[in-house]
Amino acid sequence: MSAGELRGRKPRADVQRNRAALLETAQRHFLQHGVGTSLEAVAKEAGVGPGTLYRHFPTREALLAAVLQTRSEELVARQADIERLDDPAEALEQWLRAMEEYFSAFSGLPDPLMAAARAQDPDNPLTIPCDILISATDQYVRAAQLAGRVRASVRGHDLFLAACSVAWIKGTGTEEEPLDRLRTLIASGYRERDTQT
């Protein structure tokens, strides 16, 4: 059998089962203990050894990226709803809230996302998901700029980091009222002055 044929083969059932168990267990641990949870505890609860975990996911970031991928359906559904909005400024605001909620899924999640977005390290598995979200944010920003609703200097990367920051603050247990004030302050920084309220 050639190397090409080997590469084209489906993974063995036990390999697929181990990967699925690791993802399900990791998601539960991230929800309960945050992104800094013990990976050894994840492996043990999933019924595999640490070596198996690291064969599937060589780093914490790789495991986190894979878990986030399994949770992305809700964000994609929100994006589909946002695309139907006629007002590009409202669409941008709704997209920022959707990202904020996505970033709030696990305690500590904004930190590795912000680090990946800043470093742009191609070896970091979180860089690609961050790039996809930044690109989507750029599209909303450009549409709002074309409508004269957002300042020309604003970039999707800026607002991605702003959404991460709000999610990080939210993770500290901050009440909703000060978060709303912060969102208003951020919006006043990216909106064109004549559209501010």
Side-chain angles (χ1 to χ4, degrees):
M1 184 175 287
S2 73
E5 289 172 323
L6 282 172
R7 279 195 301 271
R9 291 176 65 184
K10 287 179 70 172
R12 292 187 338 235
D14 60 327
V15 172
Q16 291 177 317
R17 195 168 40 251
N18 287 343
R19 180 181 170 83
L22 284 165
L23 286 172
E24 183 181 324
T25 306
Q27 179 168 235
R28 192 166 46 255
H29 275 249
F30 289 152
L31 284 167
Q32 292 172 351
H33 310 292
V35 297
T37 192
S38 163
L39 297 187
E40 287 72 22
V42 169
K44 184 175 181 180
E45 189 179 317
V48 301
T52 299
L53 184 148
Y54 289 112
R55 273 194 300 280
H56 285 281
F57 308 105
T59 63
R60 181 179 301 273
E61 290 79 12
L63 179 58
L64 185 53
V67 169
L68 287 174
Q69 178 61 38
T70 67
R71 294 180 62 90
S72 65
E73 288 177 10
E74 186 177 330
L75 184 61
V76 169
R78 287 281 303 275
Q79 189 173 11
D81 290 339
I82 292 167
E83 297 289 336
R84 295 187 190 99
L85 295 173
D86 292 330
D87 181 351
E90 176 67 15
L92 174 59
E93 189 174 320
Q94 291 297 319
W95 173 246
L96 295 178
R97 287 298 290 268
M99 280 200 303
E100 179 193 316
E101 289 168 21
Y102 184 65
F103 300 153
S104 300
F106 310 127
S107 175
L109 177 58
D111 290 315
L113 293 177
M114 286 190 285
R118 283 193 312 265
Q120 291 295 295
D121 176 4
D123 294 328
N124 184 335
L126 290 171
T127 298
I128 291 175
C130 287
D131 285 348
I132 290 169
L133 293 174
I134 291 168
S135 177
T137 307
D138 260 329
Q139 291 176 14
Y140 288 111
V141 167
R142 282 195 297 274
Q145 286 169 334
L146 285 171
R149 305 290 300 281
V150 167
R151 295 178 186 191
S153 60
V154 175
R155 299 290 173 263
H157 188 270
D158 307 330
L159 297 185
F160 171 89
L161 292 176
C164 276
S165 299
V166 174
W168 184 88
I169 294 166
K170 189 176 184 178
T172 66
T174 302
E175 304 260 336
E176 197 60 28
E177 187 178 334
L179 286 173
D180 281 338
R181 287 198 300 271
L182 177 59
R183 292 179 189 113
T184 300
L185 185 61
I186 290 169
S188 71
Y190 69 74
R191 289 182 187 144
E192 281 291 4
R193 290 197 184 279
D194 63 349
T195 64
Q196 291 179 11
T197 55

